[in-house]
Amino acid sequence: MEISGNSAFYAGLNAIQAGQNRVDQAAGQIASTAVDRSAGSQSSELQVNRLRGVDRSQESDVASSVVEMSAGKFQVELGVKVAKASDEALGTLIDTYA
């Protein structure tokens, strides 16, 4: 019996990588939003506007980035489960045919 490549295992690895990229991108967006806010905090007019109300667009951007980070986390966790299940199935298959 020839075992060339375990596609389920590689699918799990690809899900892990995609989830990590998703988390990295969302974290970068959160960091850039924080940098934009701190760079603008020098202005007294901005401080007055900040006291009057929160910039809703930046708040929703941060919220959507946090949601993306959570989705990326779950994507990584599911990729790990797929890779583990595939590895266990392959091990069982090898034990059975050996």
Side-chain angles (χ1 to χ4, degrees):
M1 180 175 154
E2 182 181 327
I3 301 172
S4 58
N6 192 349
S7 61
F9 181 75
Y10 290 116
L13 291 180
N14 286 336
I16 292 168
Q17 186 176 20
Q20 183 62 46
N21 289 340
R22 195 175 194 176
V23 169
D24 289 344
Q25 186 178 22
Q29 289 173 347
I30 291 172
S32 69
T33 301
V35 168
D36 291 343
R37 285 184 179 180
S38 67
S41 67
Q42 302 298 327
S43 169
S44 62
E45 182 179 331
L46 182 62
Q47 289 173 349
V48 169
N49 288 337
R50 191 174 288 167
L51 290 173
R52 290 183 183 153
V54 177
D55 184 4
R56 299 292 181 201
S57 66
Q58 284 185 347
E59 186 177 293
S60 68
D61 288 345
V62 171
S64 64
S65 294
V66 169
V67 169
E68 280 295 312
M69 284 182 69
S70 293
K73 175 188 166 207
F74 290 126
Q75 189 173 5
V76 168
E77 290 174 352
L78 291 175
V80 168
K81 288 180 182 182
V82 168
K84 275 185 173 181
S86 172
D87 184 47
E88 289 172 4
L90 182 61
T92 303
L93 209 96
I94 290 172
D95 290 343
T96 301
Y97 286 103

